[in-house]
Amino acid sequence: RDMKRKIPLFRILVASAVLFSAAGVFAEPPGPPPEEGGMFGPGNPREFGKLMDELKLTDAQRAKVKAQHEATKTDAKKYHEQLKPMHEELRALLEANTVDLKAVRAKLQSISNVQLELRMIHIKGRLDFESVLTPDQKAQLKKITKERMDKMREHHGENRPHRGPGAPDDER
């Protein structure tokens, strides 16, 4: 009788361990920028408007930036729509009675590919935005970017630059 009680308890412990370790799978690196925009928040009109004011964009520049933003938003939308079902499929794979690691790896690779495309779209959007700027505006943007990043690091208690893939090992 004690053995019968121990087996379900053992299964519960194993299941808990699997679920907690699976949580690490969901603790992925930050995803792509929000659907509406990147670092300066084209999705946050007030912040982006403030940036355009700080850079003293002309009406012609503003019109071009708006058109670029709409194109970027359209390009990104199809990828954003793919992510939620992909994460649900991943969760289903991880919650299966028997976890197929090859299927999990394939799903994670698919998710990574979509996230890569989104990041590239947003990087292209940033480069398109910068292409509209004059050399002086680009210099001002660089200064504003640094100030905002420094402020964000200070706010989050990070006094070091981001160390992602490709950072020298001796600096990590």
Side-chain angles (χ1 to χ4, degrees), residues 39 46 58 94 111:
M39 180 178 168
R46 185 176 55 222
T58 65
L94 292 170
I111 291 169

Side-chain angles (χ1 to χ4, degrees), residues 55-123:
L55 295 173
K56 297 178 176 55
L57 265 63
T58 65
D59 290 342
Q61 286 175 309
R62 288 174 187 262
K64 194 167 187 178
V65 166
K66 183 176 181 182
Q68 289 173 342
H69 170 65
E70 289 303 316
T72 298
K73 188 174 163 182
T74 300
D75 290 345
K77 184 176 181 177
K78 66 181 177 185
Y79 292 104
H80 279 285
E81 290 171 350
Q82 293 175 31
L83 281 176
K84 185 175 181 182
M86 293 174 90
H87 280 284
E88 290 169 1
E89 291 163 7
L90 176 62
R91 183 174 300 277
L93 287 170
L94 292 170
E95 291 174 350
N97 289 336
T98 304
V99 175
D100 179 350
L101 291 177
K102 284 185 180 182
V104 169
R105 178 180 292 275
K107 186 55 63 182
L108 286 171
Q109 186 63 56
S110 296
I111 291 169
S112 294
N113 291 342
V114 171
Q115 290 175 332
L116 172 79
E117 292 304 318
L118 278 166
R119 288 173 192 252
M120 292 304 296
I121 288 168
H122 286 283
I123 288 169

Side-chain angles (χ1 to χ4, degrees), residues 6-24 26 94-99:
K6 288 181 183 179
I7 290 175
L9 180 59
F10 178 73
R11 284 185 178 174
I12 291 170
L13 290 174
V14 169
S16 297
V18 168
L19 286 174
F20 284 120
S21 65
F26 296 104
L94 292 170
E95 291 174 350
N97 289 336
T98 304
V99 175

